[in-house]
């Protein structure tokens, strides 16, 4: 039963106190003991600090001063609308099941698969690493702006030496502090973050109070970089207090030159700066492995943090617009210090936000890295990051990430890299939206999140918004990030990944296939769009490998089903023996590189099993219309697994769907003379059954002798020229021209033409043989056949051969093609007719293209040889007692002809209309 191997059995239903508890700690880094963070400390605090970052103190004046209050509010609404769309997707995924360590990477990889999830997870990890370095360098620059030896501000203390080496030293010391906190575990990180949160909140509170408590004042502005400040008169900005005139002046936009870079600002550049500071919504989700209840904490904590930061930003925008003139806003981005009741508290807030952002990025990066290493997607490269402490802290991943941040710090200035980091964050956000969108579109019954405030519209809008923001912030970085994601996904696809996660692509394919199958109406079928849909019955694939590949070439984009009948009666068996066989047959399909479905059945006899498969294989408008069987003869079975390169070489056991022991999954070929599962009587009866069910029939003999290059997937280039011979007339009952245009004759022509469309058969020449009666003039029938071929757009050579002397041509023809067995001819006469037809076909197989009409004698052995022969398959006789004689005549007809297909078509397959 399926439930006996259900993943739910890995969970204890009740804990010691009656609460539902996972037996394995829900997959955290160290099990249940590592999960100890609450919603507030684990999600709200890190998310608030990440979304504030340094922007809340140093870029409020920049945004309001250039964009004005109205456009600044519009920017904030757009930015938070985009983030809110992603938050809705995060909430939906997080409440749909147990969330393990790795945060966004875990959500993406378990939905979109290891290829997409691994590539985006690695990019998200690098974004956090670079984000940590950017925060540390920003902190260093903020410290040096006040305490540096080259500080230009009026209140600079000028005590710290500056330069590249000194800056690197300061950054490394701060990184050591941050790394030490993160290495000691999530508990210490949570306490440090909470302390930082208190400092930032106190600093913001002092700023808000200062807007109200401080009276109007003039604030001296720092000279612009590159200007000679001593020769210019001092410039002042004005803090007016609450003033309606100030608000009126600040309502509209006033884009000007940025005094720090010299670039003229516009809506896009200001919006990019604002949005860069808000991309921290995943900080709480990254701690999913340490949260007590991640499915509740992530959505609740993230929503609370987003709402809180939005309120603070709006409040600061309004207060700045009411109290500060545009000159102050545009010329002093750090004006909070100048208007504060106690300026050092603002500095503490700036340093605390930068430090907390670096801590959040480093610990988030380590958790993503640990999840990547645990999933073993990148092999030995990330193997050291699997190590955890006894308490479940992934300290090795922290040290790994610390080393990478140290390398990034060597680059010094990272203004350009800051945009790349934001773009990488947006790629991850878009992937989360895409994951939720895929789950919603797949309509999987198990996707039922407890958070319901989302729809596929919000997910789709979130994906589009993130992609738009990527190209708005940095088109080059956006294009590069998508290219990097594609390369990483290709690498992971080539390497192979775990298949037990569940792929939403499979659910989407199922949903779409079902929808289109319902729209595939068999009542609207037309002969113009006919294609072969094959059911190949295989006993043992060891001996049928060439036929399996030949049938794959004959399908021409149609349905191809491998059918197998296992003999037995379910009433006398403890379980179904068929289900365990599917894995071996699917591995066979993968290894043989054929595009086929597999359908297996259990039946007391092969004939009954074939009837089952003919009736129930396929679905809707995709059902087999042609039965393909190997020929029933006394040739000893061959084991093609021993000679075929795809089966003789050991498979890569790490590749998806491969099996190194595939040869052991199928029994060895039947020994010569051993009993068969199918009697000659049942074999012919199966052919008759298929024709009664209005199915076309193809019998393949000696397919193992086909040239190997003709069965390959390439272009079939070979120095040896080959013919494909078609005899569209029943050679066991010859008759004149009308036989070439009946349904069965046209079916032969169609199947041979389809084979010629396959790249491996492009170089083969199609020959059609026109049989003439003993008193029929040459040329007339050939002209009619060439005209027919021209109408059917079939390119082929036509050769006339004389056939019919002494073959009973003067006797009246029976209604049924198979009634030659019941005609006046005796068994000896029918056998002689079959031998004569066999000699005629063999004689033509060695003739060149210019041989013309001829009989058995002669032939050019130096010319092209026949690779495959198509013959007309007569209907089985009506009397089952004559089945063995019918099979014997077919054996005589095809003896020593090489690879041969006996074909009988019962449905129209081609027409001359457009």
């Amino acid at each position: 039963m399926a439930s006996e191997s259900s993943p739910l059995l890995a969970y204890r239903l009740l804990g010691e106190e009656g609460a539902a508890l996972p037996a394995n700690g829900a997959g955290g880094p160290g099990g249940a003991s590592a999960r100890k963070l609450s919603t507030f400390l684990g999600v709200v605090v890190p998310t608030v600090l990440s979304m504030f970052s340094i922007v809340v103190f140093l870029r409020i004046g920049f945004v309001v001063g250039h964009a004005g209050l109205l456009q600044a509010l519009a920017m904030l609404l757009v930015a938070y609308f985009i983030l809110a769309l992603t938050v809705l997707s995060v909430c939906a995924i997080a409440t749909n099941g147990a969330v393990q360590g790795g945060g966004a990477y875990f959500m993406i990889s378990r939905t979109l698969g290891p290829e997409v999830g691994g590539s985006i997870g690695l990019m998200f990890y690098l974004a956090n690493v670079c984000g940590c370095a950017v925060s540390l360098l920003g902190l260093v620059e903020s410290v040096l702006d006040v305490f540096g030896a080259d500080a230009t501000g009026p209140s600079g203390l000028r005590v710290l030496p500056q330069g590249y080496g000194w800056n690197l030293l300061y950054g490394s010391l701060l990184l050591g502090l941050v790394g030490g906190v993160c290495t000691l575990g999530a508990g210490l990180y949570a306490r440090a973050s909470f302390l930082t949160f208190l400092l930032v909140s106190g600093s913001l509170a002092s700023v808000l109070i200062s807007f109200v408590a401080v009276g109007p004042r003039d604030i001296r502005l720092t000279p612009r970089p590159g200007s000679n400040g001593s020769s210019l008169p001092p410039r002042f900005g004005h803090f007016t207090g609450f003033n309606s005139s100030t608000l009126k002046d600040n309502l509209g936009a006033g884009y000007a030159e940025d005094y720090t870079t010299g670039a003229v600002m516009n809506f896009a550049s200001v919006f990019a700066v604002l949005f860069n500071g808000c991309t921290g919504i995943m900080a709480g989700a990254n701690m999913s492995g340490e949260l007590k209840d991640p499915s509740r904490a992530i959505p609740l904590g993230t929503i609370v943090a987003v709402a809180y930061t939005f309120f603070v930003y709006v409040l600061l925008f309004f207060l700045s617009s009411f109290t500060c003139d545009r000159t102050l806003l545009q010329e002093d981005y750090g004006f909070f210090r100048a208007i504060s009741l106690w300026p050092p508290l603002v500095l503490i807030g700036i340093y605390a936000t930068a430090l907390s952002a670096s801590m959040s990025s480093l610990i988030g990066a380590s958790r993503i890295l640990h999840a990547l290493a645990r999933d073993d997607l990148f092999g030995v490269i990330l193997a050291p990051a699997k190590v955890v402490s006894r308490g479940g802290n992934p300290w090795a991943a922290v040290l790994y990430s610390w080393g990478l941040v140290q390398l990034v710090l060597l680059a010094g200035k990272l203004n350009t890299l800051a945009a790349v980091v934001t773009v990488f964050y947006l790629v991850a956000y878009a992937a989360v939206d895409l994951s939720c969108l895929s789950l919603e579109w797949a309509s999987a019954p198990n996707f039922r999140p407890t958070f319901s405030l989302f729809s596929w519209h919000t997910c789709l809008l979130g994906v589009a918004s993130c992609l738009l923001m990527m190209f708005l912030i940095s088109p080059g970085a956006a294009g590069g990030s998508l290219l990097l994601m594609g390369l990483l996904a290709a690498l992971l696809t080539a390497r192979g990944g775990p298949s037990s996660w569940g792929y939403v692509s499979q659910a989407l394919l199922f949903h779409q296939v079902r929808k289109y199958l319902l729209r595939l109406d068999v009542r609207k079928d037309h002969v113009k769009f006919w294609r072969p849909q094959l059911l190949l019955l295989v006993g043992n694939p060891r001996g049928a490998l060439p036929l399996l590949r030949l049938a794959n070439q004959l399908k021409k984009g149609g349905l191809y089903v491998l059918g197998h009948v296992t003999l037995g009666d379910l009433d006398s068996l403890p379980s179904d023996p068929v289900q365990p066989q599917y894995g071996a047959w699917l591995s066979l399909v993968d290894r043989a590189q054929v595009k086929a479905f597999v359908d297996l059945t259990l039946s007391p006899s092969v004939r009954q099993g074939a009837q089952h498969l003919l009736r129930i294989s396929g679905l809707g408008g995709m059902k087999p219309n042609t039965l393909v069987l190997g020929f029933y003869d006394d040739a000893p079975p061959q084991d093609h697994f021993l000679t075929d390169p795809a089966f003789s070489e050991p498979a890569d056991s790490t590749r998806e769907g491969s099996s190194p022991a595939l040869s052991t999954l199928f029994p060895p070929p039947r020994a010569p003379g051993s009993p068969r599962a199918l009697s000659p009587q049942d074999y012919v009866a199966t052919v008759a059954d298929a024709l009664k069910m209005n199915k076309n029939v193809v019998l393949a003999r000696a397919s193992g002798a086909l040239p190997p290059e003709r069965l390959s997937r390439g272009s079939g280039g070979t120095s040896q020229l080959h013919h494909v011979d078609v005899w569209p007339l029943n050679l066991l009952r010859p008759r004149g021209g009308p036989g070439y245009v009946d349904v069965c004759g046209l079916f032969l022509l169609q199947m041979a033409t389809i084979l010629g469309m396959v790249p491996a058969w492009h170089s083969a020449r199609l020959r059609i043989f026109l049989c003439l009666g003993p008193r029929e003039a040459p040329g007339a029938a050939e002209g009619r056949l060439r005209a027919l071929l021209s109408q059917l757009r079939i390119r082929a050579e036509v050769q006339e051969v004389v056939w019919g002397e002494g073959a009973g041509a003067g006797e009246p023809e029976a209604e049924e093609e198979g009634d030659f067995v019941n005609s006046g001819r005796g068994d000896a006469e029918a056998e002689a007719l079959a031998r004569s037809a066999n000699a005629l076909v063999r004689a033509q197989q060695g003739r060149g293209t210019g041989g013309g009409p001829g009989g058995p004698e002669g032939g050019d052995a130096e010319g092209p040889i026949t690779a495959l022969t198509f013959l007309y398959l007569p209907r089985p006789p009506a009397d089952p007692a004559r089945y063995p004689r019918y099979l014997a005549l077919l054996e005589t007809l095809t003896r020593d002809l090489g690879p041969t297909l006996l074909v009988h078509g019962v449905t129209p397959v081609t027409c001359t209309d457009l």
Side-chain angles (χ1 to χ4, degrees):
M1 295 176 63
S3 61
E4 293 177 357
S5 60
S6 172
L8 290 177
L9 295 184
Y11 285 73
R12 295 195 301 267
L13 293 182
L14 292 177
E16 295 177 355
E17 299 180 2
L21 292 173
N24 59 355
S33 61
R35 293 182 172 269
K36 52 190 176 184
L37 296 186
S38 64
T39 301
F40 181 74
L41 291 178
V43 181
V44 175
V45 169
T47 304
V48 166
L49 293 175
S50 296
M51 296 187 71
F52 276 158
S53 66
I54 208 166
V55 172
V56 74
F57 290 102
L58 296 181
R59 288 296 180 265
I60 295 295
F62 170 83
V63 175
V64 177
H66 287 286
L69 177 61
L70 296 181
Q71 288 195 19
L73 291 175
M75 291 179 184
L76 192 66
L77 286 172
V78 172
Y80 269 78
F81 176 72
I82 295 173
L83 296 176
L85 294 174
T86 303
V87 169
L88 295 180
S89 299
V90 170
C91 295
I93 298 177
T95 58
N96 189 54
V99 180
Q100 301 180 15
Y105 158 71
F106 180 83
M107 298 178 189
I108 297 168
S109 61
R110 272 26 177 210
T111 304
L112 300 181
E115 294 82 6
V116 178
S119 60
I120 295 178
L122 185 60
M123 293 172 62
F124 195 38
Y125 167 72
L126 295 176
N128 278 275
V129 166
C130 296
C132 178
V134 169
S135 298
L136 290 174
L137 286 174
L139 176 57
V140 170
E141 291 183 2
S142 298
V143 172
L144 294 177
D145 283 343
V146 178
F147 300 99
D150 301 330
T152 58
S155 59
L157 300 181
R158 301 179 180 87
V159 294
L160 295 177
Q162 291 184 243
Y164 171 77
W166 289 105
N167 292 359
L168 179 60
L169 175 62
Y170 302 147
S172 300
L173 291 176
L174 291 171
L175 176 60
L177 173 63
V178 170
V181 171
C182 296
T183 303
L184 294 177
L188 181 60
Y189 161 77
R191 290 190 289 271
S193 295
F194 181 63
L195 176 61
T196 306
F197 178 76
L198 293 179
L199 292 175
V200 173
S201 299
S203 181
L204 283 175
S206 73
V207 170
L208 296 175
I209 294 173
S210 298
F211 275 112
V212 179
V214 174
R217 63 176 63 176
D218 295 335
I219 299 172
R220 184 171 180 174
L221 303 176
T222 302
R224 292 198 175 197
S227 64
N228 187 358
S230 60
S231 62
L232 295 176
R235 302 169 61 242
F236 294 90
H238 304 287
F239 178 78
T240 64
F242 285 93
N243 189 305
S244 59
S245 298
T246 303
L247 175 63
K248 184 177 180 181
D249 293 338
N250 287 330
L251 286 178
Y255 296 107
E257 184 180 284
D258 178 11
Y259 75 89
T260 62
T261 63
V264 177
M265 295 294 99
N266 54 41
F267 184 92
S269 58
V270 175
F271 183 49
V273 171
L274 174 63
F275 194 83
N276 282 344
C278 300
T279 53
I281 57 174
M282 291 295 183
N286 289 341
M287 301 301 298
S288 57
E290 279 80 15
L291 297 173
K292 293 179 182 177
D293 185 5
S295 294
R296 178 181 180 274
I298 290 176
L300 178 60
T302 305
I303 291 175
V304 169
V306 169
Y308 174 71
T309 55
F310 178 76
F311 172 76
V312 172
Y313 273 122
V314 170
L315 188 59
L316 289 174
F317 282 0
F318 271 107
L319 292 176
S320 299
S321 301
F322 264 107
T323 60
C324 303
D325 70 351
R326 193 175 293 273
T327 301
L328 177 61
L329 294 175
Q330 290 185 344
E331 299 292 338
D332 186 1
Y333 300 152
F335 71 94
F336 282 180
R337 285 174 56 204
I339 68 170
S340 175
L341 293 172
W342 189 46
L345 192 55
V346 177
L347 282 179
I348 293 174
I350 294 173
Y351 300 158
T353 53
L355 198 63
S356 67
S358 60
M359 279 196 304
S360 176
S361 296
L362 182 60
I363 199 166
S366 66
R367 271 46 182 178
I368 297 169
L369 180 66
H370 178 68
L372 284 167
R374 195 174 60 236
D375 290 336
D376 200 25
L377 296 183
F378 293 92
V380 296
I381 299 176
L382 302 183
K386 296 180 181 179
V387 181
V388 297
S389 67
R390 185 175 300 177
N393 177 41
W395 60 268
V398 175
L399 294 180
Y400 204 110
S401 304
W402 174 86
L404 287 181
V405 175
Q406 185 64 60
L407 290 177
V408 176
L409 286 176
L410 294 173
K413 299 289 184 179
L414 295 176
N415 291 333
T416 303
L417 195 55
V420 176
V421 171
T422 302
V423 167
F424 278 15
Y425 279 135
L426 285 171
V427 170
Y429 297 169
V432 171
D433 287 320
L434 181 61
S435 301
C436 190
L437 176 67
S438 302
L439 291 169
E440 180 70 7
W441 273 353
S443 299
N446 281 325
F447 181 61
R448 44 181 186 270
T450 56
F451 182 86
S452 59
L453 298 179
F454 77 100
S455 70
W456 68 266
H457 305 84
T458 62
C459 301
L460 183 60
L461 192 56
V463 174
S465 301
C466 290
L467 293 177
L468 178 63
M469 279 304 307
M470 286 168 52
F471 285 94
L472 180 65
I473 292 173
S474 176
S481 65
L482 295 179
L483 177 61
L484 176 61
M485 184 184 71
L487 292 176
L488 290 173
L491 172 65
L492 292 174
T493 301
R495 188 178 184 274
S499 59
S500 59
W501 293 354
Y503 291 79
V504 74
S505 58
Q506 295 296 308
L508 286 171
L509 286 174
F510 178 89
H511 183 71
Q512 293 301 109
V513 168
R514 180 194 62 84
K515 181 172 71 174
Y516 287 113
L517 273 176
L518 290 172
R519 297 175 61 181
L520 188 61
D521 193 344
V522 295
R523 295 168 295 183
K524 298 179 181 178
D525 282 346
H526 194 279
V527 67
K528 291 188 297 184
F529 307 111
W530 180 90
R531 64 181 71 232
Q533 305 198 92
L534 308 181
L535 170 63
L536 171 61
L537 287 184
V538 179
N540 190 337
R542 288 177 175 271
L545 199 54
L547 176 56
L548 189 142
R549 290 197 170 111
L550 178 62
N552 185 63
Q553 295 174 330
L554 286 171
K555 71 180 186 303
K556 186 50 183 175
L559 178 68
Y560 179 23
V561 180
L562 288 181
H564 174 72
V565 179
T566 298
L567 297 180
D569 187 354
L570 194 59
D571 290 340
S572 60
L573 297 172
S575 62
D576 184 8
V578 170
Q579 295 302 320
Q581 300 178 22
Y582 271 97
W585 284 89
L586 292 174
S587 297
L588 170 73
V589 169
D590 292 338
R591 192 76 67 83
Q593 295 184 318
V594 297
K595 298 176 181 178
F597 296 94
V598 173
D599 215 343
L600 312 178
T601 190
L602 180 70
S603 179
S605 70
V606 175
R607 180 185 177 186
Q608 292 183 22
Q611 292 177 1
H612 298 166
L613 293 174
L614 283 170
R615 292 187 186 279
I616 65 175
S617 289
L619 193 63
M622 295 187 66
K623 296 184 73 67
N625 56 28
T626 303
L627 174 66
V628 183
L629 296 170
F631 194 76
Y632 196 100
D633 56 17
D634 295 327
Q638 300 181 22
D639 190 350
H640 295 283
F641 280 14
L642 301 178
T643 57
D644 193 285
F647 292 82
S648 58
E649 297 178 0
D652 181 4
S653 59
T654 63
R655 188 173 56 193
E656 180 87 17
S658 65
S659 174
L662 182 62
S663 58
T664 65
L665 301 177
F666 297 100
R670 175 181 54 84
S674 60
R676 298 188 178 189
L678 184 65
S679 66
Q681 187 81 13
D682 281 351
Y683 177 83
V684 180
T686 301
V687 175
D689 292 341
L691 295 176
K692 291 177 184 177
M693 298 166 69
N694 204 37
K695 308 291 184 182
N696 312 297
V697 176
V698 177
L699 306 182
R701 185 171 191 181
S703 55
L706 281 165
E709 64 271 17
R710 298 299 178 187
L711 295 178
S712 67
R713 294 170 59 89
S715 60
T718 176
S719 58
Q720 175 66 58
L721 294 178
H722 290 137
H723 285 151
V724 175
D725 292 349
V726 181
W727 298 78
L729 185 68
N730 185 359
L731 294 177
L732 296 182
R733 193 188 62 172
R735 54 184 180 183
Y740 288 96
V741 293
D742 67 358
V743 170
C744 187
L746 291 177
F747 187 84
L748 260 76
L749 293 177
Q750 181 80 337
M751 296 299 287
T753 303
I754 288 174
L755 186 64
M757 296 178 179
V758 179
W761 291 87
H762 277 170
S763 61
R765 298 176 180 175
L766 183 61
R767 296 193 304 178
I768 301 176
F769 289 93
L770 178 61
C771 295
L772 301 179
R775 292 177 292 276
E776 189 173 355
E782 180 181 353
R784 294 194 299 271
L785 181 57
R786 289 189 183 277
L788 174 64
L789 295 177
S790 177
Q791 289 182 314
L792 297 177
R793 290 86 63 202
I794 297 176
R795 299 179 61 183
E797 303 170 11
V798 178
Q799 296 195 19
E800 294 181 333
V801 293
V802 178
W803 175 241
E805 299 128 314
E811 298 179 4
E813 296 181 356
E815 290 295 326
E816 293 293 331
E817 298 167 10
D819 282 349
F820 69 88
V821 180
N822 299 319
S823 66
R825 307 185 186 99
D827 290 351
E829 188 177 356
E831 181 73 17
L833 177 63
R835 286 198 301 269
S836 179
N838 174 264
L840 172 67
V841 175
R842 280 193 293 112
Q844 297 300 323
Q845 285 183 341
R847 299 184 64 86
T849 57
E857 65 279 355
D860 183 9
E862 300 299 326
I865 62 174
T866 298
L868 184 62
T869 302
F870 284 81
L871 294 181
Y872 192 115
L873 174 67
R875 276 185 176 272
D879 184 3
R882 296 186 176 271
Y883 284 175
R885 181 174 179 240
Y886 167 82
L887 187 58
L889 289 175
L890 295 183
E891 195 283 329
T892 302
L893 175 65
T894 57
R895 185 180 301 158
D896 299 327
L897 294 185
T900 305
L901 295 182
L902 288 159
V903 182
H904 191 98
V906 296
T907 56
V909 295
T910 188
C911 69
T912 59
D913 297 336
L914 180 62

